[in-house]
Amino acid sequence: MSEFMNQLSERGSGALGKKMGIEIIEASPQRLVATMPVEGNTQPLGLLHGGASVVLAESLGSIGTQLHAGPDRRIVGVDINATHHKSATKGIVTAVATAISLGKTVCTYEIIITNDENQRTCTARITCLILAQR
C-alpha cells in the first residue's frame, strides 16, 4: 500500500489541483493535510474564491477515499457541502481532512481550512462512494 500511497500523493489532486497550486503535505486514509495559495485562486474582490476552498476539500476527501479503497477500486464524490466562515486575501490556506467514516462502500471526511493566522476560513464535508472492483 505504501507504493500506492506514494503514487497517489505524487499525482496530487490532478490537473485542476496543479493549476490551483494544491500541495499534499500528508496523506493517509485517516488524515490528510494540504496547502493552497490564495493568490491565483481569488474572486474579483481579491478574496479566496469559495469554489477554490471546495476544490481543495474535495481533492483531500477523494484522495483519502482512494487510499482507503485501494488501487483496484474506483471512487466518486457523491456529496459535498461547505460553510465559509472568514475570508483569506493573501498567503496560503491549509486544509486538514479527518475521516469521519471509512466503510466498505462509503467514506466521509470533515475538512477544516485555515488561513495563515490559523483562523478557520471554511468547514467542509464530503462523502465519496467506492465503486465495485474493476
Side-chain angles (χ1 to χ4, degrees):
M1 183 76 142
S2 64
E3 182 179 325
F4 173 61
M5 289 176 73
N6 287 335
Q7 290 173 355
L8 193 58
S9 292
E10 284 175 14
R11 284 194 315 229
S13 50
L16 179 58
K18 286 181 183 180
K19 287 179 186 177
M20 299 183 73
I22 295 173
E23 183 179 338
I24 307 298
I25 306 299
E26 175 185 333
S28 75
Q30 295 78 23
R31 183 175 190 269
L32 299 98
V33 180
T35 60
M36 182 178 70
V38 173
E39 185 177 340
N41 294 313
T42 58
Q43 41 91 313
L45 296 177
L47 306 174
L48 178 65
H49 196 291
S53 294
V54 174
V55 168
L56 178 58
E58 184 155 359
S59 296
L60 291 184
S62 295
I63 290 168
T65 299
Q66 189 68 68
L67 289 171
H68 173 69
D72 297 329
R73 304 290 295 274
R74 292 182 308 137
I75 63 102
V76 293
V78 294
D79 179 67
I80 188 162
N81 66 62
T83 302
H84 305 287
H85 307 290
K86 188 175 191 69
S87 62
T89 57
K90 61 183 167 82
I92 62 166
V93 290
T94 302
V96 177
T98 305
I100 296 170
S101 175
L102 298 174
K104 290 181 181 180
T105 58
V106 174
C107 294
T108 303
Y109 287 85
E110 176 185 56
I111 302 94
I112 296 171
I113 302 173
T114 56
N115 62 17
D116 281 341
E117 296 161 7
N118 204 31
Q119 298 168 322
R120 189 181 296 215
T121 61
C122 179
T123 303
R125 186 180 56 84
I126 183 171
T127 300
C128 292
L129 178 65
I130 301 172
L131 301 173
Q133 194 165 1
R134 296 182 209 182

